[in-house]
Amino acid sequence: TIVIRSRAMQRLSNLVAENGQRYYLLTKQDDRDAHDIKLVFTDGCEVWDKTVTKDELKKWAKEASMDLSHYMEETLKALTRLDSSRTDFQYEVKIEGSRLQATSLIF
């Protein structure tokens, strides 16, 4: 019997909004859907989620004049804070019910 395990990446980040409110962001990327990024966002009381699709990422990469793979790499570094030297990004979302509506990720 051969067991194949997924090499999913996930990371929990502690974020502070401009108004001082503290949030937590769980970022997941599964190797089976390598171009989708799943986000789970919470303030400790409520939870919102969003899957950022390949089409959304392509659009934002084009707007940033970056190729998709480089944009994905930078996006994951920014959202997971794996590159602590990069602090110049802005991620904008709107909360609609229990869903996040991603509007942009700007470097």
Side-chain angles (χ1 to χ4, degrees):
T1 303
I2 298 173
V3 177
I4 300 174
R5 299 189 189 275
S6 172
R7 298 188 58 178
M9 181 284 303
Q10 73 178 30
R11 176 131 178 159
L12 183 65
S13 301
N14 180 359
L15 307 171
V16 179
E18 289 178 346
N19 67 1
Q21 174 72 34
R22 185 169 303 278
Y23 294 94
Y24 299 92
L25 175 65
L26 179 63
T27 305
K28 298 182 187 183
Q29 184 186 31
D30 192 321
D31 61 352
R32 290 170 286 166
D33 293 316
H35 287 103
D36 290 350
I37 300 173
K38 293 164 184 59
L39 305 174
V40 179
F41 193 68
T42 183
D43 63 0
C45 295
E46 296 188 56
V47 176
W48 306 276
D49 67 330
K50 166 73 177 162
T51 297
V52 181
T53 66
K54 182 178 181 178
D55 289 338
E56 289 172 306
L57 291 163
K58 278 183 179 179
K59 176 183 167 232
W60 297 337
K62 184 177 179 180
E63 290 172 0
S65 301
M66 298 170 77
D67 66 69
L68 181 59
S69 63
H70 182 67
Y71 188 81
M72 283 286 298
E73 181 181 327
E74 292 299 310
T75 297
L76 288 170
K77 284 180 185 177
L79 292 174
T80 61
R81 299 184 169 217
L82 288 176
D83 182 358
S84 60
S85 67
R86 178 175 273 300
T87 57
D88 57 338
F89 75 95
Q90 180 177 338
Y91 184 61
E92 296 179 6
V93 296
K94 292 180 184 176
I95 297 172
E96 295 180 3
S98 65
R99 307 294 296 174
L100 289 177
Q101 298 300 319
T103 58
S104 65
L105 179 62
I106 303 165
F107 294 101

